[in-house]
Amino acid sequence: MRRRQGFTLVELLVSVALIVFIMVILSEAFSASMTAFRLLKGVGDMDARLRTASNLLRNDLTADHFEGKKRLSDPNFWAEGPPREGFFRLFHGSLLKQTAGSAYFQECDDGSGDSLPVNRAADHVLHFTAKRRGNNRGDFFTGQVPATSPLLGVSTNFFNQPIDARYQDVAGTYVSQWAEIAYFLQANGASAAGATPLFSLYRRQRLVLPNTLDANTNDPVKMTPIPAAAATMYNDLSLLTAGGNLAFNNPSDLAVPDRRLSSYMPVTDSSGNPTNGDLILTDVLSFEVRVIVLTSAGGPSTPSALHSLPAGSFVDGNNPSFGAAKVFDTWTDQASTSPIANIDYSSWATAGTTISLPLKAQVLALAVTIRVYDFKTEQTRQITIIQDM
């Protein structure tokens, strides 16, 4: 009997077919694993971005906002009158809308393709003062000023002591425990799936001088006045212009509304790039801020939009251009010390006046929801922060 010297043609074809079949299976498995890895990486990247933003937001919200240890959740917050130092302001630009295609607070498709309606807000603004605790340089806010600025600890106050000269020893860097901070969205021109507009989340920080006795004086013996033309060199500081000079803010000044940031949008250079607004997140679908207040039954409410809270109209009537906007503000009962206006805010507690903000709810916490979109995975991801106030 003759021995076989090799495989038959049929056997070779069958083996090749099996190999090709196995290779197809392996290729599909590899492709599926790469897709899963890409999706997981996209989700991980979005989580990391949201985590960074939430940590920054938490640090700012947990800081002191007023004199001493005064908190929005204090039972006697309103009974004691408005804060003497600092402020806390929450702005809702528009009502909840059902209109498809609106860029603002609405129910709409978030671009994820799941056709599930979601709330989204693009005109909510958090605006407040923050005071950090501690005595180390790293515990303070820092900002850039001219290297030869007279604010860098060279001036003395009426007691012949330096103006908060702690850590004012680095040329071009000013250090303060206090800062005026705003979180807001700005359209970036991009769109998610379904033509839903996307935004960028910015954080704008301006340092507040703890003492302005000499900084705003017109006595050149104490400190040479800084001309208004130098304003762009002090973008990191909270200030106004008056009489041709810069007028810097202290924490008591900022209790008065017209001394604060009037425009949240960051100052831009000739190329349109923000110069003093820090970019926190890109491709943001929604930045929604709701409040949790103490109800008449003595317990916390569900997270609510300002429009849904009870007790009167708390629109900033001094700014009628806000239209349907709702504003929560700690306000003031003092006359304005602003060099550009002299408004008497003593009627802040009187409902129905043009500048009254009668909402005196005890704010227990804030619920901040941020939603971002990822172009690679065409998915959305969100995080909600519940922060005691």
Side-chain angles (χ1 to χ4, degrees), residues 279-296:
L279 178 61
I280 306 302
L281 282 172
T282 58
D283 301 328
V284 179
L285 280 158
S286 178
F287 175 66
E288 181 182 346
V289 185
R290 291 177 176 251
V291 293
I292 300 174
V293 300
L294 185 71
T295 65
S296 57

Side-chain angles (χ1 to χ4, degrees), residues 32-47 49-50 110-114 191-193 198 283 285 372-382:
S33 65
M34 290 301 295
T35 300
F37 176 78
R38 185 172 64 254
L39 291 175
L40 289 174
K41 186 178 184 304
V43 170
D45 290 343
M46 286 192 289
D47 283 343
R49 292 165 56 202
L50 288 169
D110 62 357
S112 61
D114 56 15
S191 298
L198 295 176
D283 301 328
L285 280 158
V372 296
Y373 179 78
D374 182 63
F375 281 97
K376 293 181 180 179
T377 61
E378 295 186 346
Q379 289 186 343
T380 61
R381 197 76 170 174
Q382 81 172 34

